[in-house]
Structures are given as structure tokens and as C-alpha cells.
Amino acid sequence: MDEFYIDQTLYHGRPASAANRLPKEMACYDLLDRLEIPYARADHSHADTIAQCEAVEQVLGEKICKNLFLCNRQKTNFYLLMLDGEKVFKTKDLSKQLGVARLSFAGAEEMERYLNLTPGSVTVLGLMHDTENRVQLVIDKSVADAKNVSCHPCINTSTIWFTMDDLLHKVLPELHHEPIFVDLPVEEPEA
């Protein structure tokens, strides 16, 4: 297994060069710059484990929230859930609050089709590719109440953060997406 690499520098703004960066990543920076949203960035190798995400959080100085891509059984309704990284996701809790039966994880094919993302890089910024509004954004209260929000810029080799206020009042209106807010329970530790 490859050793996890993380650049210990916290960058402010876009990379100095687009070399070795995907166009969809650069499009995220273009969006944030166009909307005059300040953001910080940490660069790292693919962050696939909780320990790796915690190392990224140390550089960012911010918690990373989970971003889950979900769908109903018929694969006709799609949801992007932003959830506190500490919370355990249970489909029954979210299904009940949304009034939707049988939510499950959507496949890589749908993720690519609607958000132009690959597994491991799910992000609210992927909604820039959802021009037909096929994906409903769902934000858990614990994430919505936070001062800042962290996410990948459409690739999981960088993580950025900016204010929740900028997400709600600048980014989402620009992307023509309106979130649904839920309040998912915190899993009680077993005795």
C-alpha cells in the first residue's frame, strides 16, 4: 500500500499552476474565485481512511464532513447528503425525515453522470455539473450550524474549506440548488 502523503502547508486560494490538476478541480476554484469566496486548501494523496482524513483536518484546522451520494430503490431520485464526520449514517433515519422509502448508496455510474465525480470524491461542489437539478442537496443540522464547511474540489487529492454562509448564500444560489435541512440523530455509544 502506498504511503499517505500530505503537504503540511495550508494554502489560501487556487494552486499556482494547473499542471497535474483535473479540469473539474480547476472549475471549482474558478467558481469560488468568480464568486469572490476566500478559501483555504490542503493538498494530499487520496484520503480514503478516517486516519488520513484526520491528518488532513490537522492541516486544514477544520473538520471534514461526510458527503454521501444516495438514491431511492428505483434510481429515480438522487440525494447528496452532507453529514458531520462523527455521525453514523443510518438510512432509516434519513429516509424517515425525507419521507422516502429505501434509500441506498447510488452507484459510480450515476455519480459520474450527474455530478462528474468518482467514488471517494463526492462533494457539494459537484452540483455545478448537475445543471438539470437531478440531485437534491440534503444538509444535516450539525453541518449547517458550523461556521465553515470543508469539501473536496471534485477530486479527493485536495480538500478546501470556506464559510457555510458563502455556501448557502453564494455557491448554492449560483448553482441553482436549494438544500433540504435534516437533523439526524447522534449514535449513542454502546455500553
Side-chain angles (χ1 to χ4, degrees):
M1 181 167 176
D2 294 333
E3 188 173 325
F4 181 69
Y5 165 79
I6 182 165
D7 185 335
Q8 295 297 314
T9 304
L10 180 64
Y11 296 96
H12 294 277
R14 69 190 305 117
S17 168
N20 300 315
R21 305 279 179 164
L22 295 175
K24 63 185 174 182
E25 177 185 1
M26 297 309 293
C28 292
Y29 305 131
D30 292 342
L31 171 69
L32 296 173
D33 291 346
R34 187 173 71 249
L35 296 175
E36 298 179 353
I37 295 174
Y39 54 96
R41 184 185 88 251
D43 293 332
H44 46 81
S45 51
H46 290 275
D48 300 319
T49 69
I50 290 174
Q52 291 168 341
C53 289
E54 287 172 350
V56 173
E57 289 174 347
Q58 290 297 310
V59 174
L60 279 178
E62 293 290 331
K63 287 289 204 182
I64 299 173
C65 73
K66 292 180 197 174
N67 292 272
L68 306 176
F69 187 53
L70 308 165
C71 65
N72 63 351
R73 182 193 301 201
Q74 300 81 9
K75 295 188 178 182
T76 55
N77 297 325
F78 296 90
Y79 304 88
L80 174 59
L81 172 64
M82 297 176 71
L83 179 67
D84 186 305
E86 306 288 317
K87 284 192 176 182
V88 175
F89 172 66
K90 293 199 173 179
T91 58
K92 68 179 175 75
D93 296 326
L94 181 61
S95 294
K96 183 177 180 182
Q97 288 191 40
L98 293 177
V100 177
R102 298 271 184 152
L103 280 178
S104 63
F105 290 96
E109 182 180 312
E110 291 87 3
M111 191 182 299
E112 175 72 30
R113 180 183 317 135
Y114 298 122
L115 300 175
N116 190 25
L117 298 174
T118 54
S121 62
V122 177
T123 173
V124 66
L125 295 176
L127 292 174
M128 75 172 67
H129 303 287
D130 181 31
T131 57
E132 296 178 5
N133 287 78
R134 292 292 312 271
V135 180
Q136 174 62 58
L137 178 61
V138 180
I139 305 176
D140 184 55
K141 183 180 184 318
S142 59
V143 173
D145 289 347
K147 180 181 177 187
N148 298 314
V149 61
S150 61
C151 62
H152 294 306
C154 292
I155 186 72
N156 71 350
T157 53
S158 289
T159 306
I160 60 176
W161 71 259
F162 49 94
T163 69
M164 178 58 70
D165 189 63
D166 282 340
L167 175 66
L168 296 176
H169 298 106
K170 291 182 179 179
V171 174
L172 295 179
E174 177 72 14
L175 301 181
H176 308 288
H177 279 76
E178 195 164 317
I180 293 173
F181 296 96
V182 295
D183 191 2
L184 298 173
V186 175
E187 184 81 6
E188 295 298 323
E190 294 182 19

